[in-house]
């Protein structure tokens, strides 16, 4: 029984089955395709004595088709009933499903999407997979080649192990398909259930550490083209995710970011990309060694020449000039990724305890209008630009986090500290270690200041403007300190914890 949407490479299978003297049943366009190859095929309608009805919604849903798939060959009662009702044995089912997910992704109308909910196909898949003791099920075009190889290697014979493997593939297809349909209907979260299905395992060398197994599930190639370098690891993927999330918030000017262990150690924007790279590197040239680099503009030869002087793991950009590739590909293990887009979706999840936690992604990026001045002194235009730059960075920095910025350049950051004061001292120490003058710099905090100690320390270091969410019952103490020391402070009302 053959009824498919995708017919690529189907001709090889059909010809092989014909050479093995297998009787073929088919429907509609698939039957026409097979007949066009000059191979005998019986229409399903001739078996069921029913035409395709309701605009093709009902074609194979008939006892003679499903009975032929489901009857148990080893049971006398089933064999007798099959003979009594003239039900033909169907030992192989090749079927795929209407492209529901592709139709949704294309922005089709609700009516078109509903018509892409497969009924007959999914029923054939489940029936054949259930009776894997006797029946081979080929549930998608991904299984065409394995079937073809099996037919040629074994001359039409299959083992129970073969059939069980195809059945597992079938239930993977059906469960994934049903999850996609459920998530479409449950887009507003009206049903209290979490369904996520990802296909296409990419085995990794190991997980976070060599003793841990690791794998990636998803369509990595939809977002990136790997132009050069070694196999991507688990830790590489985590860093790539962090880098892409960060750079998504910087699009106004050429920007470079350098990340290490998911946190930015160098970020800068400039009118010229190579200058953005130099400023980003200056932020922490020590941590940049072996880091992950990302740019929001194509890499040119001048930028590639500068980058080439440093050892790094990964470079991500929306494009590379031919000259840049020639320069960068001299090291065989460097991973060069051309970014084709950004991950979609508004939700994120992670395994936790004996379940999963789900939340909306932190996609909020503050605008000048959202900065509420709470001090007597308002920030200048240049300070506002730096405050927004810093606030974008702190959003992508592990809490507790403090970020120091001047002239669209990260000067120092404190991250992952148990105390906000410790995070600030870490940021100041790093800025001083790399010879930055913090006079006139701005500070961003991912959460409010519970005490005025942070603004006092910042003032002593030369910080002149501060942005934080606000919301502490003691905000007034920090505001008073700023007023007494000619510092500008703005509040956003938005916290950006990252754990």
């Amino acid at each position: 029984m053959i009824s498919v949407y995708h017919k690529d490479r189907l001709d090889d299978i059909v010809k092989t089955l014909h050479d093995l003297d297998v009787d073929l049943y088919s429907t509609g366009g698939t039957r026409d395709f097979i007949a066009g190859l000059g191979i005998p095929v019986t229409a399903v309608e001739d078996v069921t004595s029913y035409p395709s009805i309701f605009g093709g919604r009902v074609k194979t849903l008939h006892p003679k088709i499903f009975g032929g798939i489901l009857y148990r060959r080893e049971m006398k009662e089933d064999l007798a009933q099959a003979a009594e009702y003239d039900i033909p044995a169907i030992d192989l089912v090749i079927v795929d499903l209407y492209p529901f997910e592709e139709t949704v992704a294309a922005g089709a109308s609700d009516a078109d999407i509903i018509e892409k909910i497969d009924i007959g196909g999914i029923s054939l898949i489940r029936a054949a997979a259930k009776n894997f003791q006797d029946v081979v099920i080929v549930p998608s075009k991904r299984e065409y080649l394995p079937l073809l190889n099996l037919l040629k290697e074994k001359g039409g014979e299959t083992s129970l192990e073969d059939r069980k493997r195809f059945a597992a593939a079938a239930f993977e297809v059906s469960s994934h398909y049903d999850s996609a349909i459920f998530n479409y209907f449950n887009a507003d979260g009206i049903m209290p259930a979490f369904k996520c299905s990802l296909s296409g395992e990419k085995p990794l060398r190991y997980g976070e550490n060599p003793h841990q197994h690791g794998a990636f599930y998803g369509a990595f190639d939809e977002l990136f083209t790997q132009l050069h370098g070694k196999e991507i690891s688990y830790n590489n993927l985590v860093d790539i995710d962090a880098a892409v999330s960060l750079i998504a918030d910087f699009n106004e000017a050429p920007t470079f970011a350098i990340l290490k262990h998911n946190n930015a150690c160098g970020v800068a924007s400039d009118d010229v990309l190579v200058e953005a790279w130099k400023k980003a590197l200056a932020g922490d040239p020590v941590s940049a060694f072996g880091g992950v680099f990302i740019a929001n503009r194509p890499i040119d030869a001048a930028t590639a020449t500068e980058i080439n002087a440093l050892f790094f793991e990964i470079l991500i950009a929306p494009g590379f000039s031919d000259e840049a590739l020639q320069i960068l590909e001299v090291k065989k293990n460097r991973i060069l990724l051309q970014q084709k887009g950004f991950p979609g979706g508004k939700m994120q999840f992670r395994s936790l305890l004996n379940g999963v936690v789900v939340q909306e992604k932190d996609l909020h990026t503050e605008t000048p209008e959202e900065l509420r001045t709470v001090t007597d002194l308002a920030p200048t235009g240049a300070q506002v630009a730096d405050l927004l730059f810093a606030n974008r960075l702190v959003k992508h920095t592990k809490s507790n986090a403090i970020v120091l910025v001047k002239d669209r350049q990260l000067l120092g950051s404190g991250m992952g500290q148990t105390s906000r004061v410790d995070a600030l001292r870490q940021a100041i120490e790093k800025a001083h270690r790399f010879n930055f003058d913090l006079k006139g710099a701005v500070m961003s905090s991912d959460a409010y200041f519970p005490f005025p100690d942070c603004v006092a320390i910042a003032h002593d270091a030369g910080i002149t403007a501060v942005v934080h969410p606000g919301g502490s019952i003691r905000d007034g103490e920090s505001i008073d300190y700023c007023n007494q020391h000619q510092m500008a402070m703005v509040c956003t009302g938005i916290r950006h914890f990252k754990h």
Side-chain angles (χ1 to χ4, degrees):
M1 173 71 200
I2 308 176
S3 179
V4 299
Y5 187 89
H6 298 97
K7 299 175 179 63
D8 299 339
R9 300 210 66 176
L10 183 64
D11 53 344
D12 291 336
I13 294 173
V14 170
K15 291 173 183 176
T16 302
L17 290 171
H18 177 63
D19 291 342
L20 293 169
D21 294 326
V22 176
D23 296 328
L24 304 180
Y25 302 95
S26 192
T27 61
T30 308
R31 179 180 56 80
D32 295 340
F33 175 83
I34 295 171
L37 298 173
I39 293 174
V41 57
T42 300
V44 165
E45 294 89 338
D46 294 338
V47 178
T48 64
S49 299
Y50 269 88
S52 174
I53 57 177
F54 307 129
R57 282 190 165 196
V58 179
K59 291 179 285 191
T60 59
L61 297 169
H62 193 279
K64 281 201 171 183
I65 299 301
F66 281 85
I69 295 169
L70 283 166
Y71 85 79
R72 292 154 291 189
R73 276 63 164 171
E74 77 282 1
M75 293 188 63
K76 292 181 179 180
E77 297 87 347
D78 285 14
L79 289 168
Q81 284 189 320
E84 179 183 357
Y85 295 107
D86 193 26
I87 294 175
I90 298 176
D91 304 307
L92 168 63
V93 175
I94 304 174
V95 63
D96 62 7
L97 303 174
Y98 293 152
F100 177 83
E101 289 179 281
E102 294 86 343
T103 304
V104 173
S109 66
D110 285 344
D112 288 339
I113 290 170
I114 297 305
E115 286 307 309
K116 288 297 185 290
I117 298 177
D118 208 312
I119 303 300
I122 201 77
S123 301
L124 289 168
I125 287 174
R126 291 180 64 85
K130 177 177 180 175
N131 202 24
F132 70 91
Q133 293 281 350
D134 301 305
V135 179
V136 178
I137 172 63
V138 177
S140 74
K141 63 181 181 180
R142 292 199 308 267
E143 300 299 326
Y144 286 3
L145 186 57
L147 173 67
L148 183 61
N149 292 337
L150 188 65
L151 292 172
K152 291 181 177 180
E153 290 170 8
K154 296 188 176 182
E157 298 281 343
T158 62
S159 67
L160 181 62
E161 183 181 3
D162 293 331
R163 297 191 295 275
K164 193 169 184 178
R165 193 204 72 79
F166 279 109
F171 285 119
E172 189 277 321
V173 167
S174 65
S175 62
H176 179 85
Y177 197 74
D178 284 341
S179 293
I181 295 170
F182 168 79
N183 286 328
Y184 170 75
F185 279 95
N186 198 46
D188 295 331
I190 56 177
M191 296 297 294
F194 173 77
K195 307 284 185 183
C196 180
S197 176
L198 294 170
S199 301
E201 181 188 64
K202 175 182 173 59
L204 304 173
R205 286 173 291 169
Y206 50 79
E208 196 164 7
N209 298 291
H211 65 278
Q212 295 171 266
H213 173 75
F216 175 76
Y217 294 88
F220 184 83
D221 292 343
E222 289 183 2
L223 297 179
F224 304 98
T225 298
Q226 183 168 351
L227 303 175
H228 184 73
K230 63 184 179 181
E231 182 182 352
I232 294 173
S233 71
Y234 177 98
N235 291 329
N236 290 155
L237 287 168
V238 176
D239 283 331
I240 290 168
D241 179 68
V244 168
S245 296
L246 185 152
I247 207 69
D249 281 340
F250 293 85
N251 51 31
E252 295 90 350
T255 301
F256 235 108
I258 301 170
L259 289 88
K260 202 72 171 288
H261 298 296
N262 309 328
N263 288 296
C265 55
V267 183
S269 294
D270 194 277
D271 295 337
V272 180
L273 186 63
V274 68
E275 295 304 318
W277 159 255
K278 291 176 182 178
K279 292 178 180 178
L281 180 61
D284 187 346
V286 175
S287 296
F289 183 84
V292 174
F293 307 160
I294 189 166
N296 64 354
R297 298 290 192 274
I299 304 298
D300 54 31
T303 307
T305 299
E306 293 290 333
I307 296 172
N308 191 52
L310 190 69
F311 168 74
F312 63 89
E313 283 276 326
I314 302 170
L315 173 58
I316 308 165
F320 295 80
S321 71
D322 291 340
E323 296 88 347
L325 284 176
Q326 289 177 4
I327 294 167
L328 295 167
E329 288 178 348
V330 295
K331 301 290 187 180
K332 67 177 183 178
N333 287 331
R334 286 174 173 171
I335 298 170
L336 304 180
L337 296 177
Q338 182 172 345
Q339 186 178 350
K340 296 186 285 189
F342 289 93
K346 296 181 179 180
M347 306 300 292
Q348 61 184 175
F349 61 91
R350 63 189 295 182
S351 60
L352 192 143
L353 298 175
N354 61 345
V356 173
V357 288
V358 182
Q359 67 170 355
E360 293 179 342
K361 294 179 181 178
D362 185 359
L363 299 175
H364 187 81
T365 302
E366 282 71 30
T367 63
E369 294 73 27
E370 292 176 280
L371 302 183
R372 181 173 59 90
T373 301
V374 294
T375 48
D376 296 336
L377 182 65
T380 66
Q383 286 177 324
V384 167
D386 278 347
L387 289 167
L388 292 172
F389 188 98
N391 216 50
R392 292 176 189 174
L393 285 182
V394 84
K395 167 182 155 183
H396 297 280
T397 306
K398 188 173 178 64
S399 301
N400 286 311
I402 293 288
V403 165
L404 308 179
V405 166
K406 184 163 67 174
D407 298 330
R408 298 185 300 173
Q409 180 185 17
L410 174 62
L411 304 186
S413 59
M415 61 198 72
Q417 299 300 305
T418 53
S419 155
R420 198 158 302 282
V421 169
D422 286 345
L424 174 56
R425 292 192 187 281
Q426 183 187 58
I428 293 171
E429 187 277 329
K430 178 168 281 193
H432 288 162
R433 192 191 327 160
F434 297 113
N435 301 314
F436 286 114
D437 181 2
L438 290 176
K439 185 177 181 180
V442 307
M443 173 175 71
S444 175
S445 173
D446 61 341
Y448 63 65
F449 300 111
F451 305 101
D453 46 6
C454 279
V455 291
I457 294 169
H459 171 262
D460 289 342
I463 306 296
T464 55
V466 179
V467 58
H468 70 124
S472 168
I473 59 174
R474 304 179 70 166
D475 275 352
E477 295 179 23
S478 295
I479 294 170
D480 289 343
Y481 184 93
C482 289
N483 282 333
Q484 293 164 11
H485 295 83
Q486 291 74 53
M487 296 174 71
M489 176 181 283
V490 297
C491 292
T492 64
I494 302 291
R495 190 181 72 185
H496 289 296
F497 269 170
K498 183 184 178 186
H499 291 105

